[in-house]
Amino acid sequence: MSALSAAVEDGTIDTVIVATPDMQGRLVGKRLTARHFLESCEAGVGTCSVVLTWGQDHALDPDYALSGWANGYPDMVVVPDMATLARYAWFERTAFVMGNAVRPDESAIDVAPRTALARMLERLAGHGLRARFASELEFFLYDETPRSAHDKGFVNLTGKHATLHPETLMRTSEDEHFLGPLRNHLEAAGVPVEMVKAEYSPGQVEINLHHADAMKAADSHMLLKAAAKEIALQQGMIATFMAKPDHDLGGSSCHVHLSLQDESGQSAFAAGPDGRGASETMTRFLGGLTHHIRDIFLFFAPTTNSYRRMQPGTFAPDSVTWGEDNRTVAFRMVGAGGARRIENRIPGADVNPYLAYAAMLAAGLRGIEEGLEPVGAALGGNAYHADAPALPRTLDEATEAFAGSELIRDCFGAEFHDHYANYGRQSILAARAAVTDYERRMLFLDI
């Protein structure tokens, strides 16, 4: 706080953003004058609890115990976690603080994404383990503005590029006016970026973040999304993290890398003289992931659009598979020594990192506690041809599995379980009532 006070005093900072993640993995928050933040807001910033219950389109969805017409949409408080204080470097004289959502009486809100992850980290620590994560995020750039996209009905949008040039230096050089500031601003905000590249589809970008302790990694994921979207807007573009924005394009993934360390700081996953083998902890953790994948799948594919991405032959998995350095499986084992890790290749770019990370830990810890073996054998070939259990194909299927999950109720509690089961159901109902551009193309002239 003293560093912030000094920056406010010398005019380096005049605005402080206090934000927290909502269910969908969007930052919700307020911009405060730095003076007011220092005088009054260290204990928290009040806001309406509806931010943890509304739908994808900010609809006032029913049947949430936390907030609704029945209890008058009460307040909640976002308490700044001052350890997250950083420059919001793509805006002048602006600082950023991530906060934790609590009730006005300071009791925890179990359904808040940051709280869910924190509790799973406590549970992990009870086993003498610490988790480190890294997100590999993909997104698309469009030569559109929010107004132009709206006026086009969000169809026939103009992508930043029209041709395939994946991995080529020329493509990223074309986009360096955007990618350079994005990398540099993130680094200035305390978000270490490892690399950026042109992904497969026209206008698609991938950015890899450096691994970090779980909460820091999730916070960094959120800041990356915010920076990409806001810097794109500053340059007259849109950055979208939809899992599959167009049927002619590939999907955007969020491969999640997870490693575990023991109390001495050594890898809990590595085994063998070269550190490339799987320890018993890694094997049991993988067993939990593969046995309980249906319980937690809602947090890897949280929207109806998520399932458009997961098609055979697209590098998005469609079955419960695992293997060593195999990009066709759901869970890829990779790395050596301290970098020995599990790559979860299921999530799309629309994932909420706090919930996805927490779900992986819940399932993996259950595998350790119950001594589970991974489902099936390690695959070295094309997993799309494997005789393996199918992953959920629709949001309906994932929501049904989540709603019936004893694992979720045991690990996260009844309030959390009911809240996110309702989220799945409300998302399904909203999608069922929507008239799509596909239906208009197929039926408008022919029926």
Side-chain angles (χ1 to χ4, degrees):
M1 187 66 80
S2 60
L4 177 60
S5 297
V8 173
E9 181 68 25
D10 66 21
T12 305
I13 296 294
D14 61 24
T15 300
V16 177
I17 296 172
V18 179
T20 198
D22 69 1
M23 289 195 297
Q24 292 83 358
R26 302 171 296 206
L27 283 175
V28 292
K30 298 182 178 180
R31 277 176 161 83
L32 291 76
T33 62
R35 172 199 53 77
H36 179 62
F37 177 83
L38 291 173
E39 290 175 355
S40 308
C41 298
E42 187 175 0
V45 178
T47 192
C48 181
S49 55
V50 70
V51 301
L52 291 177
T53 65
W54 54 29
Q56 292 286 349
D57 60 352
H58 301 92
L60 299 176
D61 286 346
D63 301 330
Y64 287 107
L66 174 67
S67 190
W69 297 113
N71 64 357
Y73 289 102
D75 267 351
M76 70 178 199
V77 178
V78 178
V79 179
D81 178 354
M82 295 308 296
T84 69
L85 178 66
R87 288 179 57 202
Y88 209 66
W90 47 103
F91 283 90
E92 293 182 352
R93 296 184 299 280
T94 301
F96 175 89
V97 184
M98 192 74 78
N100 294 309
V102 300
R103 291 181 169 84
D105 64 2
E106 300 183 0
S107 61
I109 296 177
D110 292 345
V111 305
R114 235 172 163 258
T115 300
L117 177 56
R119 288 185 169 170
M120 285 311 306
L121 294 175
E122 291 174 2
R123 190 163 180 161
L124 185 69
H127 289 262
L129 297 169
R130 186 177 72 174
R132 293 181 71 80
F133 283 88
S135 292
E136 290 182 4
L137 268 167
E138 298 171 358
F139 61 94
F140 281 91
L141 288 172
Y142 284 85
D143 274 332
E144 301 281 354
T145 66
R147 173 56 66 125
S148 70
H150 176 272
D151 290 348
K152 290 181 177 181
F154 298 96
V155 296
N156 299 321
L157 302 177
T158 302
K160 179 68 166 62
H161 300 288
T163 57
L164 293 172
H165 286 285
E167 308 282 347
T168 62
L169 179 61
M170 188 63 208
R171 181 47 46 91
T172 51
S173 294
E174 290 179 78
D175 293 339
E176 184 64 5
H177 62 92
F178 168 78
L179 299 174
L182 177 58
R183 292 193 309 274
N184 294 333
H185 286 322
L186 284 170
E187 289 275 335
V191 179
V193 176
E194 290 192 343
M195 72 89 190
V196 58
K197 71 168 187 173
E199 247 302 329
Y200 182 76
S201 293
Q204 191 177 30
V205 175
E206 178 184 321
I207 296 187
N208 292 358
L209 298 180
H210 193 64
H211 60 87
D213 285 343
M215 193 66 75
K216 166 65 174 174
D219 290 344
S220 293
H221 177 127
M222 296 294 289
L223 282 171
L224 187 159
K225 284 185 65 176
K229 294 173 78 70
E230 293 170 359
I231 295 170
L233 290 175
Q234 290 169 359
Q235 297 190 11
M237 297 187 295
I238 291 175
T240 181
F241 290 81
M242 279 185 68
K244 193 171 177 66
D246 191 282
H247 67 277
D248 290 330
L249 299 173
S252 286
S253 68
C254 174
H255 298 153
V256 176
H257 292 254
L258 163 64
S259 61
L260 291 185
Q261 296 177 340
D262 61 24
E263 290 178 313
S264 67
Q266 299 301 305
S267 171
F269 279 173
D274 61 358
R276 294 184 179 277
S279 68
E280 182 176 353
T281 297
M282 187 179 200
T283 299
R284 303 306 180 205
F285 197 96
L286 186 62
L289 286 173
T290 52
H291 274 275
H292 293 289
I293 185 60
R294 296 182 65 83
D295 299 77
I296 60 178
F297 200 81
L298 178 64
F299 290 151
F300 301 152
T303 73
T304 53
N305 182 254
S306 305
Y307 299 82
R308 310 287 188 262
R309 166 182 161 267
M310 290 183 287
Q311 304 298 324
T314 63
F315 292 100
D318 66 350
S319 59
V320 184
T321 51
W322 59 281
E324 188 74 36
D325 194 15
N326 184 343
R327 285 182 168 83
T328 70
V329 299
F331 298 105
R332 174 179 174 242
M333 303 162 71
V334 67
R340 188 63 170 156
R341 62 195 186 275
I342 296 171
E343 178 190 14
N344 179 359
R345 296 181 59 83
I346 298 169
D350 55 354
V351 76
N352 181 322
Y354 304 92
L355 300 178
Y357 292 3
M360 290 180 69
L361 294 176
L365 278 175
R366 183 58 57 92
I368 292 173
E369 292 164 353
E370 297 183 351
L372 297 177
E373 291 287 337
V375 172
L379 292 178
N382 188 347
Y384 295 114
H385 296 162
D387 181 17
L391 295 173
R393 295 285 194 255
T394 64
L395 185 60
D396 303 58
E397 189 179 347
T399 298
E400 182 180 358
F402 182 92
S405 172
E406 294 182 4
L407 172 76
I408 295 295
R409 209 164 190 85
D410 177 58
C411 290
F412 295 100
E415 180 183 3
F416 180 97
H417 191 193
D418 293 343
H419 188 94
Y420 283 98
N422 188 53
Y423 162 80
R425 288 191 291 266
Q426 296 300 331
S427 299
I428 292 164
L429 290 173
R432 284 179 184 167
V435 177
T436 68
D437 63 296
Y438 171 81
E439 291 169 322
R440 284 191 291 270
R441 285 198 305 269
M442 295 301 103
L443 304 174
F444 192 82
L445 297 176
D446 289 347
I447 297 298

